[in-house]
């Protein structure tokens, strides 16, 4: 066993270099800079670097240029205004335990790692628990297959060969069984298991090892023998997960593959059922204010309600008073209780086409905390005053009792504003709905002046039949009603962050970093192939990207450019260290408006209660030091939910298209890789793959800069965003995989083939020959 280590300090001060240059000396070398960044992970901003090396005055401009060059080369990354060597892990991160080393210690790989940019994921040595802090009932021991929240240990100097980092366990997030999943296909003597992994091969199971599994059952397997030249792998059935003939079979796969907690422990249910409606107590009585909920027509829980009225203050002509009321989840879910622990474990609700896996039990989410029409509910409300220019002048938070005046759908509210009234909206149109839309017109001025990133990427929605299969895929219309609620919620979120900063109470921000220098450079190279320039004077701003998007509106390249701009953006996350929200162009932003379905919002509610002395159920001070770990945990849960939702949609559509093998479809190329082309069907939004070996009768090179495959002999080119005709040749519903064959030809620029191939190979540092298509394959009609 390896020796126990002292804990790393919570906020390490930057380590000064061994030999600090005197004022006026030359800039540090690249090697000195990189060494300094490696020794000070997460604590090396430009000021820290300048101070450490004694850089002053005009020399700071030269330092800035050197750092930009290192970013452009991909050697250094900028995260939250701090620089780190590229491919370095953050202090706190989520990882999956993959195996043990020769000493029996656990080895893990980080959950979030970009292999395209940084190569294979590093191995992390999971250090044993320190003395006096052993595993127990409340802190289970970690094992292979588990998902862990880890914190780096910087002072460990005995790493085995091949191991990059050492870390200690902050929390065991999931106890994941190391089992494979597949669907049973009975054959004489046993079964063949069809894997749900897109890259998996069939597995044999003997009759004796079926464990009562039947045809179409989804089963968990334990491997007995690996496959290879001797034949298929062999396994035995550990357990039957469920029948694939059931309506919820597809989302059931996602729950198990992504290890999403979906069964509430008994203690959590008992605690939820014991909750009773909140008394008025110190709450303000706002039951006569006609707040309304506006949600999707199929919404089961309603956690936000809105109201607006013109401001009567003569000092604010044309201004509005906007009120946003949010379900008071903090009253029922107390810190450290069973409900709270389970909510943190889940992180957020997960939404599938056929079901919702809620963060909180229905007694809380659909009953006590749902702002039902005409029923009294406890709420946290923010009253905001806006000037005629759309700028927020002031705001106040209140803990209230409210009664929703009406439950409306987006379509219903929009129809009323457009003149199509029904029995409910005709009583609300003048006193409630028209003031809401007038207030939105004012807030929109502020939004337009702020210029957030405005990507145009329509979202598709799957509509199911009663039997749980796909009926059709639609693109819901984007209404002003949607935009109104979105902007009201954004302003409420900003108000929450501002209040907590003012009162110096820690919180979890919703942060979104600016695109990295490396991604911006790649975007510029791509845009240059379309004769579009991305100006970058004065630093990156969302408006610069909006200007690019405006140039391609209503052109065939609009979808392509929107997609590439999206891919250049960083991923939003939760963190107690604020760097602002680049996409929304906001200096401070926190999630406050959905505590029923997001744990981050519950943290913010508790922080507001503590900051404003609104009750005894505020954020406990002992949680302050845990917010970094909580942010990492709920960010990982969010990514897990997104992956599960995406996989479920893929499986549903693959199942839907099974009887359409051989049919042709119009599609757009949605991705280009060395191994082939990803395509998205125009009608359904289904995603599939065209292997490079089936593309055509040429040799092809993948050009990363132009997102294209280029034929070396003919110059035939397929690029991201191109419209193509494809034929469906294979559908794997359990894996959610569709394989297509191109039926249309690429674009050809005569005489440019060899020149472009040479440039592509040079840009991508390709050695040897390019990728090969189907030699001698017939041309497609």
């Amino acid at each position: 066993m390896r020796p126990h280590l002292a804990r790393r300090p919570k906020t390490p001060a930057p380590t000064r270099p061994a030999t600090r240059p005197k004022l006026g000396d030359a800039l540090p070398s690249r090697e000195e800079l990189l060494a300094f960044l490696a020794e000070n992970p997460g604590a090396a901003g430009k000021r820290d670097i300048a101070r450490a090396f004694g850089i002053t005055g005009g020399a700071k401009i030269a330092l800035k240029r050197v750092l930009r060059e290192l970013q452009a080369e991909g050697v250094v990354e900028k995260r939250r205004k701090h620089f780190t060597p590229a491919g370095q892990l953050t202090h706190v991160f989520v990882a999956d335990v993959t195996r043990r080393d020769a000493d029996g210690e656990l080895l893990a790989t980080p959950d979030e790692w970009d292999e395209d940019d940084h190569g294979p994921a590093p191995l992390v040595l999971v250090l044993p628990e320190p003395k006096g802090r052993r595993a127990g009932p409340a802190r289970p021991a970690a094992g292979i297959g588990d998902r862990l929240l880890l914190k780096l240990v910087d002072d460990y100097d005995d790493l085995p060969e091949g191991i990059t980092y050492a870390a200690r366990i902050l929390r065991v997030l999931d106890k994941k069984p190391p089992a494979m999943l597949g669907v049973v296909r009975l054959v004489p003597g046993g079964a063949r298991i069809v894997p749900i992994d897109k890259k998996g091969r069939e597995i044999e199971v003997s009759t004796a090892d079926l464990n009562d599994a039947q045809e179409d059952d989804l089963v968990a397997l334990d491997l007995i023998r690996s496959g290879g030249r001797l034949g298929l792998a062999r396994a035995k059935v550990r357990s039957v997960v469920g029948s694939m003939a059931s309506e919820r079979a597809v989302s059931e796969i996602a729950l198990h593959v992504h290890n999403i907690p979906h069964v509430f422990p008994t203690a959590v249910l008992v605690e939820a059922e014991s909750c009773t409606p909140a008394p008025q107590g110190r709450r303000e009585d706002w039951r006569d204010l006609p707040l309304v909920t506006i949600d999707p027509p199929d919404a089961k829980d309603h956690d936000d309600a809105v109201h607006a009225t013109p401001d009567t203050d003569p000092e604010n002509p044309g201004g509005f008073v906007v009120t946003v009321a949010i379900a008071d989840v903090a009253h029922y879910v107390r810190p450290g209780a069973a409900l709270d622990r389970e909510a943190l474990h889940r992180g957020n609700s997960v939404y599938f086409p056929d079901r919702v896996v809620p963060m909180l039990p229905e007694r809380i989410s659909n009953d006590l905390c749902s702002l039902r029409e005409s029923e009294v509910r406890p709420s946290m409300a923010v009253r905001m005053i806006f000037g005629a220019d759309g700028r927020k002048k002031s705001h106040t938070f209140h803990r209230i009792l409210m009664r929703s005046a009406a439950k409306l759908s987006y379509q219903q509210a929009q129809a009323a504003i457009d003149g199509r009234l029904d029995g409910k909206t005709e009583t609300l149109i003048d006193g409630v709905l028209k003031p809401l839309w007038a207030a939105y017109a004012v807030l929109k001025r502020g939004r337009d002046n702020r210029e957030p990133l405005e990507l145009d990427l329509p979202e598709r929605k799957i509509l199911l039949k009663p039997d749980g299969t796909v009926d059709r895929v639609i693109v819901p219309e984007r209404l002003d009603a949607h935009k109104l609620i979105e902007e009201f919620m954004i302003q409420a979120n900003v108000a929450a962050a501002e209040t907590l900063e003012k009162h110096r109470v820690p919180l979890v921000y919703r942060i979104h970093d600016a695109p990295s220098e490396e991604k911006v450079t790649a975007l510029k190279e791509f845009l240059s192939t379309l004769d579009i320039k991305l100006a970058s004077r004065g630093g990156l701003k969302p408006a610069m990207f909006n200007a690019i998007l405006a140039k391609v509106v209503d052109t065939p390249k609009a979808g392509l450019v929107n997609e590439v701009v999206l891919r250049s953006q960083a991923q939003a996350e939760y963190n107690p260290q604020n760097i602002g929200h680049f996409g929304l162009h906001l200096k401070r932003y926190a999630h406050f408006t959905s505590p029923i379905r997001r744990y981050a919002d519950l943290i913010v509610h508790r922080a507001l209660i503590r900051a404003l002395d609104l009750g005894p159920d505020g954020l406990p001070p002992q949680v302050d030091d845990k917010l970094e770990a909580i942010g990492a945990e709920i960010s990982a849960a969010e990514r897990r939910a997104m992956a599960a939702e995406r996989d479920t949609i893929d499986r549903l559509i693959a199942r839907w298209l099974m009887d359409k093998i051989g049919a042709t479809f119009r599609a757009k190329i949605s991705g280009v890789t060395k191994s082939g082309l990803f395509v998205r069907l125009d009608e359904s939004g289904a995603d599939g793959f065209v292997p490079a070996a089936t593309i055509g009768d040429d040799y092809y090179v993948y050009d990363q800069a132009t997102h294209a495959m280029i034929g070396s002999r003919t110059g035939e080119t397929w690029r991201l965003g191109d419209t193509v005709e494809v034929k469906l040749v294979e559908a794997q519903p359990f894996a959610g995989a569709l394989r297509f064959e191109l039926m249309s030809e690429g674009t050809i620029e005569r005489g440019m083939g060899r020149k472009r191939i040479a440039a592509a190979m040079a840009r991508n540092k390709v050695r040897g020959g390019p990728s090969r298509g189907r030699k001698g394959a017939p041309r497609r009609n």
Side-chain angles (χ1 to χ4, degrees), residues 49-325:
I49 298 170
R51 190 180 302 114
F53 288 98
I55 299 170
T56 60
K60 290 183 179 180
I61 298 175
L63 173 63
K64 186 176 180 180
R65 185 182 66 251
V66 171
L67 289 170
R68 280 186 174 178
E69 289 173 355
L70 290 172
Q71 280 183 269
E73 294 170 16
V75 177
V76 165
E77 293 177 341
K78 188 178 181 183
R79 299 176 185 169
R80 306 174 196 138
K81 298 183 180 180
H82 293 96
F83 295 91
T84 61
Q88 188 173 76
L89 289 176
T90 55
H91 285 175
V92 177
F93 60 99
V94 175
D96 297 310
V97 179
T98 57
R99 62 181 187 272
R100 293 184 183 272
D101 66 6
D103 294 326
E105 305 289 9
L106 296 175
L107 299 178
T109 55
D111 175 69
E112 186 178 10
W113 185 266
D114 193 332
E115 292 194 352
D116 291 337
D117 289 343
H118 307 309
L123 280 176
V124 180
L125 175 67
V126 180
L127 297 174
E129 294 282 358
K131 293 179 180 179
R133 195 186 175 197
R134 299 296 180 187
R139 186 181 178 83
I144 296 174
D146 289 352
R147 189 178 178 85
L148 308 177
L149 184 65
L150 299 174
K151 189 167 187 177
L152 286 181
V153 172
D154 296 333
D155 54 354
Y156 192 84
D157 56 4
D158 188 27
L159 286 173
E161 185 177 352
I163 309 299
T164 314
Y165 299 96
R168 288 212 184 278
I169 300 173
L170 292 178
R171 193 194 310 274
V172 178
L173 301 180
D174 292 303
K175 298 295 292 180
K176 187 174 181 179
M180 299 171 289
L181 291 177
V183 179
V184 174
R185 288 286 179 261
L186 294 178
V187 297
R192 293 288 179 90
I193 307 299
V194 181
I196 60 172
D197 184 352
K198 293 181 181 181
K199 298 179 181 179
R201 298 178 60 193
E202 284 191 349
I203 299 170
E204 288 182 336
V205 174
S206 68
T207 302
D209 292 326
L210 273 175
N211 198 12
D212 297 325
Q214 303 298 316
E215 180 80 10
D216 277 339
D217 278 351
L218 176 66
V219 295
L221 302 168
D222 287 322
L223 196 63
I224 297 174
R225 184 192 72 196
S226 300
R229 287 179 295 177
L230 298 177
L232 298 177
R234 292 184 64 86
K236 61 181 179 181
V237 174
R238 172 193 293 185
S239 61
V240 176
V241 175
S243 172
M244 289 303 296
S246 67
E247 295 179 9
R248 294 187 167 191
V250 174
S251 55
E252 197 76 29
I253 292 177
L255 294 177
H256 285 268
V257 169
H258 295 281
N259 206 30
I260 291 174
H262 59 286
V263 178
F264 285 107
T266 301
V268 174
L269 295 175
V270 169
E271 189 173 293
E273 291 301 322
S274 67
C275 292
T276 56
Q280 180 170 346
R282 293 168 52 189
R283 296 176 186 276
E284 301 173 47
D285 190 348
W286 288 20
R287 284 176 284 187
D288 292 334
L289 186 70
L291 290 149
V292 295
T293 62
I294 304 178
D295 291 296
D298 56 353
K300 293 183 179 180
D301 54 65
H302 310 277
D303 53 9
D304 58 80
V306 294
H307 177 267
T309 187
D311 191 359
T312 57
D313 186 348
E315 299 294 323
N316 188 28
F320 272 82
V321 179
V322 172
T323 300
V324 174

Side-chain angles (χ1 to χ4, degrees), residues 28 206 321 414 642 683 695 717:
S206 68
V321 179
Q414 187 68 55
M642 291 171 62
E683 184 178 352
I695 288 179
T717 302

Side-chain angles (χ1 to χ4, degrees), residues 765-779:
K765 300 178 181 178
V766 176
R767 295 181 180 178
S771 303
R772 182 173 180 172
R774 291 185 302 164
K775 186 175 181 180
R779 301 299 299 171

